[in-house]
Amino acid sequence: CQELGAPSVAPPLLAGGLALAGSLDTFVYAFDLENGHLAWRPREGQRLAHAPLPWRGLALFVPLSGRRVSAIDAASGRPVGAIPAGAGESFAGGAALSGDTLIAVVERPPDAVLLRAFTLSENEEGATGSPQPRSDASASSPRSAARKRSSSMR
């Protein structure tokens, strides 16, 4: 049994004989499933509160609130890339994968909350991703919608 430096509020990812968990202390922890010992623990630099996502031998860590999703080699813990949020946006919730598409909740100040798709790819530097073109299907927050209704009633 090993202790984390802070709570981990999401389930771990099981990959290659390891349990990978992000933590609110900004570290990623990997524990050996056979003996429970800590295998590696790199500092991610962002508070992690969502379950890591498996993609092509990597673990994608979505921050609690931050400008990038980090890609970490699931076997070694080596950082191998990042998927940046769109211009003026930050990741603000959970995410899911569908093939090479990451679907994530992002927010754009002052009060828009969007479901955004990112196309994932690999290059010499590692994993990367780019936001797919915006569509009219993006949803704003209830607060923003209420303001629009209110201003149209005047």
Side-chain angles (χ1 to χ4, degrees):
C1 178
Q2 296 281 329
E3 288 189 28
L4 303 176
S8 179
V9 295
L13 169 65
L14 304 180
L18 299 172
L20 312 177
S23 177
L24 294 176
D25 67 358
T26 76
F27 283 95
V28 173
Y29 293 86
F31 296 100
D32 186 298
L33 290 175
E34 286 188 25
N35 61 28
H37 292 126
L38 182 66
W40 44 262
R41 184 192 82 153
R43 180 179 293 277
E44 204 300 301
Q46 302 181 98
R47 292 167 46 103
L48 303 170
H50 305 289
L53 302 168
W55 183 71
R56 296 186 184 184
L58 305 178
L60 303 179
F61 287 88
V62 180
L64 180 61
S65 176
R67 298 275 307 130
R68 63 182 161 66
V69 169
S70 298
I72 295 176
D73 181 276
S76 69
R78 185 176 60 85
V80 291
I83 296 91
E89 297 175 345
S90 62
F91 290 97
L97 281 173
S98 177
D100 289 338
T101 301
L102 174 72
I103 309 295
V105 176
V106 298
E107 58 185 1
R108 185 181 335 128
D111 60 4
V113 177
L114 312 168
L115 194 59
R116 169 87 63 231
F118 296 82
T119 302
L120 302 178
S121 60
E122 292 180 279
N123 59 32
E124 299 80 41
E125 286 97 45
T128 187
S130 57
Q132 293 179 358
R134 293 184 179 136
S135 71
D136 292 338
S138 296
S140 59
S141 69
R143 189 173 40 197
S144 174
R147 272 195 212 131
K148 288 177 186 171
R149 280 194 306 274
S150 173
S151 64
S152 67
M153 295 176 165
R154 293 181 191 161

